[in-house]
Amino acid sequence: MAKVQVIGAWFSPFVKRVEISLKMKGVEYEYIEVDLINKPPLVLHHNPIHQKVPILIHDGKTILESAVILEYIDEVWEGPNILPKDPYQRARSRFWANFIDQKCVPATRKALWCRGEEQEKAIKEAREALKILECEVKDKKYFGGDQIDYVDIIGSFLAYWMRLFDEVAGLHLFTYEELPSLCKWADELCDNKYVKQHLPDKDRFVDRVRGHSKTTRSV
Amino acid sequence: MAVKVLDFWASPYGVRVRVALAEKGVSYESQEEDLFGGKSDLLLQSNPIYGKVPVLLHDDKPVLESSNIVYYIDETWPSPHLMPASSYGRSRARFWTDFIDKKVYDVGRNIWMGKGAEVEAAKDEFIDVLKKLEGALGDREYYGGDQFGFLDIIFVSLSCWFPTYEKYGGFKVEEETPKIAAWLKKCYKRETVAKSMPDCQKVIEFVGMMRKMHGIE
């Protein structure tokens, strides 16, 4: 059995965070694709609480939740830092990663999938959240400076997935006119050597979103 | 190096910071914020996005969000260690911290803010959350193993609101999750916890006031 295994789904931004991080550290792993509609016993066994992916298995031990997995990978393997070494900078990175996951992503999701008055309110919230992020990344190539870091990896959800959803939904939340620094960052990130090979194929992903959105309002 | 904490007496998240600093023996100045009458300029400048407490200021540099603050405290003042020694142990602590942060307070809030059938549903969900956390404790003394540690701080801090949930939800933590109740008793004997927790009866009165404000009673 491989020493490091990743259980995931090809379209999941949370799974890709883990793969990007392992790539950064030069760690070889076995990837196991699962069907999240009919979850196999493997997922239920390793993640009984949330029953989700990604799941990292290292030397028989299970590590769950993408942000937790990233910190684990950073501690265990040598290579470029994912989180800064300085405690204050680490606190700032964790804060911005949380802001992306707890504020930007849900707000953008709601803006893309709600309708009517609820959507208008959600669009306003999403724009405000993205503007805050725009100010934080301003003039920097990445949140991590010259190299991608924890915030960039967490933020890949916005840089690729959310921009695709935005394109499909036709909302134009992510435009160079409104968010020049954030869009530039997103382009740089998606072109980054650790990131780009892990991004799901655009056409395949958009087909999935279009098919999924006919049956459900959530992604 | 100066340490200041912007806090609110009833905040369970503030309790985390108090306990963590006490465990490390770090002296600090506490500034009580008036969350209803007017937040201080310092709070609004330190936490412009959320405007929330707690905020830790270390040499005027703000650290935000209680879990983040406890990580920062543990990393800045290494002794005694709060986090487990192994990377795997730390990943378990972070996993359960994330679970606690997403579930305990918000589900509890649905108990005391809910109306009618919402209350019963929230109570059932809360008990389910507690049972999962009881499972995570297992037969250990503390979440940290033999020693009181990071995850104990993260979870025990929220317990000052448990009597409030019990009152409005009509249940008892001791009956539903006896191991959690036993672990709480152990934690409360610890001086750092005992001196950091607000009076639970005052929290109940405070919540009563908030319910009136929201037109629930």
Side-chain angles (χ1 to χ4, degrees), chain A residues 71 75 88 90 94 98, chain B residues 65 68 75 87 90 94:
Chain A
E71 292 219 29
E75 283 186 18
Y88 181 69
R90 288 163 78 81
R94 287 177 180 132
N98 275 347
Chain B
E65 300 187 334
N68 265 4
E75 289 168 8
S87 295
R90 285 195 287 279
R94 289 184 184 120

Side-chain angles (χ1 to χ4, degrees), chain A residues 62-88:
Chain A
T62 303
I63 300 100
L64 306 168
E65 293 294 310
S66 61
V68 175
I69 296 171
L70 261 51
E71 292 219 29
Y72 178 84
I73 290 170
D74 200 29
E75 283 186 18
V76 169
W77 285 286
E78 300 282 318
N81 291 332
I82 293 174
L83 272 162
K85 291 293 182 207
D86 173 71
Y88 181 69

Side-chain angles (χ1 to χ4, degrees), chain A residues 80-115:
Chain A
N81 291 332
I82 293 174
L83 272 162
K85 291 293 182 207
D86 173 71
Y88 181 69
Q89 296 306 326
R90 288 163 78 81
R92 282 188 61 77
S93 289
R94 287 177 180 132
F95 173 82
W96 285 109
N98 275 347
F99 179 76
I100 288 169
D101 263 354
Q102 306 301 330
K103 204 89 173 145
C104 297
V105 165
T108 323
R109 244 187 186 149
K110 265 175 84 173
L112 290 167
W113 298 116
C114 289
R115 291 291 174 264

Side-chain angles (χ1 to χ4, degrees), chain A residues 33-79:
Chain A
E33 174 76 16
V34 294
D35 177 0
L36 293 184
I37 308 288
N38 304 297
K39 286 171 190 173
L42 194 64
V43 172
L44 306 177
H45 167 73
H46 284 289
N47 195 352
I49 300 284
H50 298 307
Q51 299 174 12
K52 286 180 176 179
V53 293
I55 296 166
L56 180 82
I57 304 169
H58 179 214
D59 283 341
K61 293 182 294 245
T62 303
I63 300 100
L64 306 168
E65 293 294 310
S66 61
V68 175
I69 296 171
L70 261 51
E71 292 219 29
Y72 178 84
I73 290 170
D74 200 29
E75 283 186 18
V76 169
W77 285 286
E78 300 282 318

